[in-house]
Amino acid sequence: MRVDKFLWCVRYFKTRSIATNACKQGKVKVDGANVKPSKEIFPNDKLTVRKNQIDYQIEVLDLPPSRVGAKLVNLYIIDVTPKEAFEKLELLKYSKDYYRKKGTGRPTKKDRRDIDDWFENTDPNPDEKDKEA
């Protein structure tokens, strides 16, 4: 079975064209090597799929006849993704929440005061103070 069709069948991608594009962009690897969407896969192959900033590691158990329901996916694959990958994603979410979202408008008064305080604390010409002393 083709790798793009397999990833669509086991519900890693919503459409087959998205799975095909992921293969073309180098986000899918079979046994550590980048593959084309038409690469045939077999049971016991190990896939690495880069999706949502996580490298999912999948072991193929069997090939499904067609797209399967979400409850039946575990009959065809084993997800061996390390837990550290998911923890990194959580840390990334927290770090993004700290900054303002793009397109939220002008800075608030607090933002402006913080910027002003930062500019007051960093002196652009430290040599001028030495001359006055």
Side-chain angles (χ1 to χ4, degrees):
M1 176 181 276
R2 291 171 54 114
V3 68
D4 61 341
K5 186 174 181 181
F6 176 79
L7 291 171
W8 170 74
C9 286
V10 295
R11 298 183 169 269
Y12 261 83
F13 292 103
K14 188 174 182 179
T15 64
R16 190 165 163 193
S17 63
I18 295 172
T20 302
N21 288 335
C23 293
K24 288 179 182 176
Q25 292 172 358
K27 295 180 180 178
V28 177
K29 297 180 180 185
V30 175
D31 297 324
N34 286 340
V35 294
K36 293 182 179 179
S38 61
K39 168 78 171 153
E40 291 289 323
I41 59 166
F42 303 99
N44 298 326
D45 280 347
K46 291 177 177 44
L47 300 176
T48 304
V49 181
R50 176 92 173 153
K51 183 179 172 190
N52 298 332
Q53 298 181 343
I54 296 179
D55 288 328
Y56 292 98
Q57 295 176 359
I58 307 164
E59 189 171 329
V60 179
L61 295 177
D62 196 13
L63 301 177
S66 63
R67 189 168 170 103
V68 295
K71 292 182 179 179
L72 301 176
V73 168
N74 292 335
L75 298 174
Y76 300 102
I77 62 169
I78 296 176
D79 190 357
V80 292
T81 307
K83 292 183 180 178
E84 293 86 28
F86 296 106
E87 292 171 0
K88 286 181 185 177
L89 184 66
E90 287 295 320
L91 290 174
L92 186 64
K93 284 182 184 177
Y94 287 127
S95 68
K96 285 185 179 179
D97 288 343
Y98 178 74
Y99 297 104
R100 292 172 46 93
K101 303 254 188 272
K102 184 176 180 179
T104 55
R106 295 169 50 183
T108 62
K109 282 185 179 181
K110 183 181 182 323
D111 293 336
R112 182 181 52 80
R113 289 181 186 133
D114 289 342
I115 292 169
D116 290 343
D117 288 342
W118 186 80
F119 277 118
E120 287 176 6
N121 291 338
T122 58
D123 191 11
N125 296 324
D127 296 334
E128 291 181 12
K129 286 186 179 179
D130 293 337
K131 293 178 183 177
E132 292 175 7

